[in-house]
Amino acid sequence: MVPPEYYLFLAAAVFSIGLFGVLTRRNALYFLMSVELMLNAAAINFVAFSLYWGNMTGQTFTLFVIALAAAEVAVGLGIILVLYRNFGELDVTKAATMRW
């Protein structure tokens, strides 16, 4: 059995990569993928603690995180399509206002 610390280190690494992507990237697609990495890191933590404590609560919350991530992708891709249609590129710094 893998100790829970390994899962926590993996989740910290995945979350760090996602946070780095959110803070440094200007492309909206990279931004969306980085947010997905951070949500997956949270899901890994939920599963690790669920395994450690021996109950199903963490896995239940992981299902909610997966559903939230799917909804976030649907809304995010819609925003990205509108951003590309109106500005011709996916740079999030160009869309500083809600009007164009």
Side-chain angles (χ1 to χ4, degrees):
M1 183 171 163
V2 178
E5 293 87 14
Y6 292 167
Y7 293 112
L8 297 179
F9 286 132
L10 174 67
V14 170
F15 187 84
S16 299
I17 292 169
L19 184 63
F20 178 76
V22 165
L23 294 178
T24 59
R25 297 293 181 171
R26 292 182 178 179
N27 191 324
L29 280 176
Y30 290 127
F31 190 84
L32 189 63
M33 289 189 294
S34 299
V35 170
E36 287 292 321
L37 283 177
M38 291 194 298
L39 286 173
N40 285 330
I44 290 171
N45 275 334
F46 281 135
V47 170
F49 284 115
S50 175
L51 176 70
Y52 182 72
W53 292 106
N55 61 12
M56 299 292 289
T57 305
Q59 294 178 8
T60 304
F61 277 112
T62 300
L63 288 177
F64 286 121
V65 168
I66 291 170
L68 177 71
E72 178 253 338
V73 165
V75 172
L77 285 178
I79 291 171
I80 287 171
L81 284 174
V82 171
L83 182 71
Y84 184 74
R85 186 181 310 153
N86 291 325
F87 292 100
E89 58 186 328
L90 297 178
D91 190 359
V92 292
T93 59
K94 300 288 183 185
T97 62
M98 296 296 285
R99 297 185 311 166
W100 47 84

